[in-house]
Amino acid sequence: MVEDRRRPTRTDLKISRRSRWLIIAAVLTGLIGAGAVIAVTRATGSGPADKPIATTLDCRENEPIARTLSSGSTWAMCWRIDPYAGLTLTDIHFTPAGRAPVQVLASLALGQLEVPYDTGVRTTEDITDHGFGGRNLQTLVDTECTGELKSSYVPNFGDGKVGGGEERPVLCVEQVDTGIAYRAQSGGRTDVARGTGLSLSTISKVGWYEYVNSYLFGSDGSIRPSLGATGDLSPEDYTDDSAQGRPVGPGDHDRAASHSHNAIWRLHWALGGRGGQRVEQYDADLTGRSGPKAPQLSGELSPVEAETTRTVANRRWWRVLNPKLRNEDDHPVSYQIEIGDTDSYRFTDESHDHTEQDQEPAYDIAFSEYLECERFATKNPDCPQRSVLGFVADRQPLDDVVAWVAVGFHHVVRDEDQSPMEMHWQGFTLLPRDLTAQRADPPEARKSINGRPR
Ligand SMILES: [Cu+2]
């Protein structure tokens, strides 16, 4: 992807990636005690707002997860292990401090993970061909998780109709420090607070790679899905071509092939409940005019009314809203989808003849109308359409919205990838936009500030 198409605001994602990497690396290498970086995890249901929302959740397979974070706000949801998608979160609710719960998503999971090598000799579709569940889903131990391990029944093969299965600890639930949430100094006083986040993660080993499938739910209502990759480089994928790999051995020897980790997440929206969801795209651009001190920009939201695919651009983001659900300022409640750092891609399954048009990235985000069988972005079985491009082809109007967020990472191998590989991360951010009329947890001295201060 060319540089000017990248979104400029990647700080949040980078910080969360780095801090998570530090935490995982430090814990795995035993350099720090668990308490040094990570706050003590509260038991499920112990927070003041946990009980009401958690007890209303009708979770079919496992007990609900609920945590009240530093802001006094609560996240609550159900979880299960899908044989293919792996960790699948459903009925995701956010309860801002002192307010009523708001459903955000009906479900959230990986929709595909493809790893094509630059040599063109190999590609794997890890979700549909191998699966993040089943035996690929790893049993976790305390060194991998400083919080609480949760068990689920995991079939050994497919849906478990044959071959049996086992109840195993596979989900790590941690409460993590997310740094300074806010700081404001004026009139001789300083208001400052740190934030916490609820981190849910599993590990799946597919071939030589081991993936950390992670979701971070922030005290600010944010959600950060991310995928970390470690394990080992594929010993079968080395090349003599210097344009398709980098040497990891001494001198110019042993060129490990470059490759891509093309991930896509499936987000079934349910802001205030399923249906009645609307999508908008925001774009801002220079007007060509200038004020006395700076160039003038013009930005606007435009409706995305029918199924479609879109690509990232500078100063572009999307939001899903429920026009009937309003905050105390009478603004519609929405969530913003921020795609940060990505190497845009086209799934190999969508590029059969490798024509010039085939080489263009297909999309960075797609919006489709919910259909139960449309679960995977490519190689989708038992459905009229095989892939996202097929799902959106008939341009149905959007109401029960599924967003497909594609984030690619082109992995040019370095010496540090041996061995095991340093963790590399890819992901994106969902931010609440106008869910509450102010931040969920204003300090006492700031509670009166809602609009231009008089
Ligand atoms: Cu890689």
Side-chain angles (χ1 to χ4, degrees):
M1 192 174 86
V2 293
E3 187 58 31
D4 65 358
R5 292 179 63 225
R6 290 173 190 275
R7 286 200 53 82
T9 53
R10 283 175 267 163
T11 324
D12 282 359
L13 189 59
K14 278 193 168 167
I15 287 169
S16 77
R17 276 179 187 166
R18 193 179 302 122
S19 60
R20 218 159 332 136
W21 177 84
L22 282 170
I23 291 163
I24 290 166
V27 169
L28 287 179
T29 54
L31 291 176
I32 57 159
V37 175
I38 298 163
V40 176
T41 303
R42 211 186 273 180
T44 301
S46 68
D50 288 357
K51 214 171 177 190
I53 179 61
T55 50
T56 62
L57 289 180
D58 180 23
C59 299
R60 271 173 293 172
E61 293 188 29
N62 297 303
E63 287 292 303
I65 293 167
R67 284 290 188 285
T68 299
L69 299 172
S70 55
S71 60
S73 302
T74 300
W75 281 103
M77 67 202 73
C78 302
W79 70 285
R80 63 186 171 84
I81 301 299
D82 180 88
Y84 299 100
L87 178 59
T88 301
L89 306 176
T90 58
D91 276 340
I92 302 171
H93 286 73
F94 182 61
T95 307
R99 295 176 178 81
V102 177
Q103 186 174 3
V104 179
L105 290 157
S107 75
L108 173 59
L110 279 166
Q112 186 57 287
L113 171 63
E114 175 199 74
V115 186
Y117 282 76
D118 289 18
T119 52
V121 301
R122 187 190 311 281
T123 190
T124 60
E125 272 101 1
D126 288 343
I127 295 294
T128 48
D129 287 0
H130 303 281
F132 265 30
R135 287 185 166 157
N136 288 342
L137 185 72
Q138 302 296 293
T139 298
L140 302 180
V141 296
D142 289 345
T143 47
E144 291 157 321
C145 179
T146 59
E148 188 184 349
L149 287 172
K150 295 219 175 242
S151 293
S152 176
Y153 180 80
V154 183
N156 291 327
F157 300 102
D159 58 11
K161 284 186 185 128
V162 290
E166 225 184 319
E167 182 95 10
R168 301 192 275 127
V170 293
L171 176 69
C172 175
V173 181
E174 290 168 315
Q175 196 159 305
V176 298
D177 184 328
T178 52
I180 294 174
Y182 64 72
R183 185 185 193 279
Q185 189 181 48
S186 77
R189 63 174 285 145
T190 303
D191 287 301
V192 61
R194 295 184 75 84
T196 59
L198 167 64
S199 167
L200 306 183
S201 61
T202 59
I203 299 178
S204 298
K205 179 171 169 61
V206 184
W208 295 96
Y209 267 94
E210 307 198 8
Y211 289 102
V212 179
N213 188 9
S214 166
Y215 296 92
L216 180 63
F217 295 87
S219 57
D220 59 349
S222 62
I223 306 174
R224 289 179 166 82
S226 62
L227 187 67
T230 178
D232 277 296
L233 298 169
S234 160
E236 288 135 51
D237 291 283
Y238 281 75
T239 174
D240 293 331
D241 188 337
S242 63
Q244 294 181 334
R246 299 290 306 166
V248 290
D252 208 20
H253 291 283
D254 301 337
R255 294 182 172 277
S258 307
H259 54 273
S260 298
H261 299 263
N262 294 334
I264 190 163
W265 283 262
R266 179 183 179 278
L267 291 66
H268 184 191
W269 287 94
L271 269 173
R274 276 179 59 184
Q277 313 285 296
R278 296 292 174 266
V279 180
E280 292 177 340
Q281 175 174 309
Y282 179 87
D283 281 288
D285 221 335
L286 292 159
T287 59
R289 297 185 304 274
S290 191
K293 300 279 189 186
Q296 293 182 349
L297 278 82
S298 173
E300 65 172 355
L301 283 161
S302 39
V304 177
E305 285 166 352
E307 293 178 317
T308 187
T309 60
R310 300 290 167 103
T311 54
V312 294
N314 210 359
R315 292 184 291 264
R316 171 176 293 171
W317 45 265
W318 297 267
R319 73 167 182 168
V320 176
L321 64 147
N322 180 341
K324 290 188 182 146
L325 193 65
R326 327 278 301 183
N327 72 7
E328 300 94 322
D329 278 350
D330 198 31
H331 299 154
V333 167
S334 74
Y335 259 80
Q336 178 170 336
I337 304 168
E338 281 275 347
I339 302 179
D341 199 355
T342 180
D343 294 315
S344 296
Y345 63 84
R346 172 179 289 264
F347 281 117
T348 55
D349 196 52
E350 297 278 13
S351 47
H352 305 291
D353 53 8
H354 307 287
T355 60
E356 204 168 305
Q357 196 193 353
D358 258 3
Q359 291 167 25
E360 285 292 304
Y363 59 89
D364 297 298
I365 192 167
F367 297 97
S368 64
E369 180 68 5
Y370 173 80
L371 192 62
E372 192 176 3
C373 66
E374 293 177 351
R375 298 170 57 213
F376 307 112
T378 60
K379 295 195 165 179
N380 191 69
D382 311 321
C383 207
Q385 298 297 335
R386 179 182 169 91
S387 70
V388 167
L389 293 183
F391 304 162
V392 305
D394 59 352
R395 301 278 184 255
Q396 279 185 73
L398 291 169
D399 187 72
D400 190 1
V401 174
V402 174
W404 302 83
V405 181
V407 179
F409 173 68
H410 185 231
H411 184 185
V412 180
V413 173
R414 47 192 184 114
D415 278 341
E416 287 80 357
D417 290 332
Q418 289 180 309
S419 175
M421 189 186 307
E422 289 291 2
M423 187 86 71
H424 56 75
W425 287 98
Q426 60 199 101
F428 64 100
T429 302
L430 303 174
L431 277 181
R433 174 172 280 279
D434 310 339
L435 183 77
T436 46
Q438 298 164 279
R439 63 173 304 122
D441 59 341
E444 200 57 41
R446 305 255 164 178
K447 279 191 172 154
S448 62
I449 303 176
N450 180 27
R452 189 174 188 166
R454 311 266 172 234

